[in-house]
Amino acid sequence: MEGKEVRFGIAASALFAEASTASSDGAVDAMHDSFLPLSGAILFGNMMVDEVIIGAPGSGLWGILLFCLVAVFIAGLMIGRTPEFVGKKIEAREITMAMLALLAAPALILGLTALASVVALGLAGPANAGPHGFSEILYAYTSAAATNGSAFAGLNTNTPFYNLTLALAMFAGRFLIIVPVLAIAGSLAAKRSTPRSAGTLPTEGLQFVLLLAGTIVIVGGLTFLPALSLGPLVEHFAMQAGVTY
């Protein structure tokens, strides 16, 4: 029963964890470290897609807008139209800034996780061995960079190594994203509005919703799936084989 919330039951604990990781809430009522591996993978995924599922304050808004820019750009390439969003043409400058913002946090998350997984100072933190220990490290940097703040538990982060590297992840997750977002805002504000025409790609309706959802899943999946495969997914299959950590 370690880490389980026995007052409200499994369903309420799972719902609370889902809501707090899909936003930037960061609160917990049951230890995420005690969730089953695939349940933990869902919590990872909520933060790894910039918490756009529910919409975190600030970060969720700019996250979904960045994905919207990438989605209209991809659609424009596929159908041969100039990408437009909110009446403004989307050009190379905006897409460059959008990709910089979307890739800055993942680069720090994965880079710092890799570092902590091979150096002695990082390996001294996890309370568990194997893929579960890797998940504890990955979760810490993901939560810090995703402006969430929740903990997977089981990881001793009160060391100079983790204090400094988690601070670096927090810095990247805020300033290395908000600066490109402000650059995009300034660029779009300086452009003239383009009248809507028959060649304008519609950015409302089910078609665009599906395109946007696909962009979020593909970008998040391609970026973080290898890391998740080394942590929660490996632990799930090991558990099926009778090996626990």
Side-chain angles (χ1 to χ4, degrees):
M1 297 302 294
E2 180 272 327
K4 302 296 190 295
E5 172 52 72
V6 296
R7 295 174 298 171
F8 308 119
I10 296 174
S13 296
L15 177 61
F16 193 101
E18 172 70 19
S20 66
T21 54
S23 65
S24 60
D25 183 283
V28 298
D29 73 338
M31 293 298 100
H32 297 172
D33 185 62
S34 299
F35 279 47
L36 290 174
L38 293 186
S39 300
I42 293 174
L43 306 184
F44 274 105
N46 289 339
M47 295 183 290
M48 288 173 172
V49 295
D50 286 346
E51 298 170 337
V52 300
I53 298 172
I54 294 177
S59 60
L61 174 61
W62 72 50
I64 196 68
L65 290 176
L66 290 171
F67 281 120
C68 285
L69 293 181
V70 175
V72 297
F73 180 73
I74 293 173
L77 292 178
M78 292 191 295
I79 63 178
R81 296 180 182 177
T82 301
E84 296 177 15
F85 189 64
V86 295
K88 304 295 181 74
K89 290 188 180 297
I90 305 302
E91 298 174 312
R93 174 181 172 84
E94 289 78 32
I95 295 303
T96 300
M97 291 295 103
M99 293 311 301
L100 176 61
L102 288 174
L103 295 177
L108 262 293
I109 291 171
L110 297 177
L112 292 174
T113 299
L115 176 65
S117 299
V118 296
V119 301
L121 294 174
L123 293 173
N128 300 84
H132 194 82
F134 177 81
S135 295
E136 292 173 351
I137 296 173
L138 178 62
Y139 192 100
Y141 291 113
T142 302
S143 178
T147 68
N148 187 271
S150 62
F152 208 55
L155 180 70
N156 178 22
T157 58
N158 191 24
T159 63
F161 175 83
Y162 278 106
N163 286 337
L164 292 174
T165 54
L166 287 171
L168 178 60
M170 292 173 63
F171 179 89
R174 288 151 180 80
F175 294 101
L176 295 188
I177 296 178
I178 193 61
V179 170
V181 169
L182 291 174
I184 294 172
S187 178
L188 293 179
K191 293 184 177 183
R192 293 183 177 180
S193 296
T194 302
R196 192 179 182 117
S197 66
T200 301
L201 176 71
T203 54
E204 70 279 345
L206 180 61
Q207 184 180 30
F208 184 72
V209 170
L210 295 176
L211 175 64
L212 177 60
T215 302
I216 294 171
V217 171
I218 291 172
V219 171
L222 292 178
T223 304
F224 288 107
L225 184 58
L228 291 176
S229 299
L230 294 174
L233 298 184
V234 168
E235 185 179 1
H236 169 74
F237 290 115
M239 184 182 67
Q240 296 297 312
V243 179
T244 57
Y245 298 92

